[in-house]
Amino acid sequence: MRYKPKKYKNKLAIVCLTLLVTLFLTITVNLQPDKQPERPLRADSEYRVYEYQIVEIDGNEVYGESMTDSSKIYFTNDELEGIKVNDIVKAYFEPEDLIQLVKVEKVNEK
């Protein structure tokens, strides 16, 4: 029998192409972030609402940490009366802009 290099070249090209596609898909999947972004407690047409626990109060400045992930919040305590460390608050943000804080309200303890 004679050696037919054309058949082997085609098979080799298919195997290499398959390996390259597999490598590309593996790298693409591994580059995706493991953690999903925080989901709001309630997303309506008006606001996005998140819960935070107050961890520090320094005069009029209030610092809180998210109940669901590692995000943090800072706001000034102009409207909330009787807020203290370890209280839970709801923060309302504009739906399109999570930097724009609309209001903060204390969650009633039951």
Side-chain angles (χ1 to χ4, degrees), residues 49-67:
V49 182
Y50 298 91
E51 280 190 354
Y52 294 91
Q53 182 175 11
I54 303 303
V55 294
E56 182 183 346
I57 299 175
D58 184 16
N60 200 30
E61 299 174 345
V62 180
Y63 301 88
E65 293 181 355
S66 173
M67 302 291 292

Side-chain angles (χ1 to χ4, degrees), residues 5 7 11 14 16 22-23 25-26 31 34-35 39 43 45 53-54 58 61 63 65 69 74 78 82 91 96 103 107:
K7 281 187 181 179
K11 288 181 183 179
I14 291 172
C16 288
T22 304
L23 179 65
L25 291 175
T26 303
L31 289 179
D34 292 337
K35 187 175 180 183
R39 299 182 133 206
S45 60
Q53 182 175 11
I54 303 303
D58 184 16
E61 299 174 345
Y63 301 88
E65 293 181 355
D69 65 7
Y74 161 81
D78 293 330
E96 303 85 25
K103 70 177 180 175
V107 175

Side-chain angles (χ1 to χ4, degrees), residues 54 80-84 87-92 104-109:
I54 303 303
L80 291 176
E81 295 295 326
I83 192 170
K84 56 190 177 289
D87 282 349
I88 307 297
V89 297
K90 285 185 180 179
Y92 294 81
V104 178
E105 67 182 13
K106 184 176 177 181
V107 175
N108 292 333
E109 303 295 328

